[in-house]
């Protein structure tokens, strides 16, 4: 179950980065998603 959670997290993170670099997040006003992922990445990496 934990492996599926990690995989889902990384799929969401990669998708968010894709939308960030293509400019979609800025157009949609959702740049906060990148900040939220940046904050949550540290506990995920420390837990590994």
């Amino acid at each position: 179950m934990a492996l599926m959670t990690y995989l889902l997290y990384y799929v969401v993170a990669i998708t968010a980065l894709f939308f960030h670099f293509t400019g979609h997040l800025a157009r949609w006003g959702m740049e906060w998603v990148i900040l939220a992922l940046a904050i949550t990445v540290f506990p995920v990496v420390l837990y590994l």
Side-chain angles (χ1 to χ4, degrees), residues 1 4-10 12-13 15 17 19 21 23-27 29-30 33-34 38 40-42 44 46:
M1 183 64 184
M4 288 298 292
T5 306
Y6 291 131
L7 290 176
L8 180 63
Y9 178 83
Y10 286 117
V12 169
T15 304
L17 283 174
F19 284 131
F21 286 117
H24 285 78
L25 289 182
R27 275 180 277 185
M30 295 182 64
V33 172
I34 296 297
T40 61
V41 77
F42 293 112
V44 170
L46 290 177

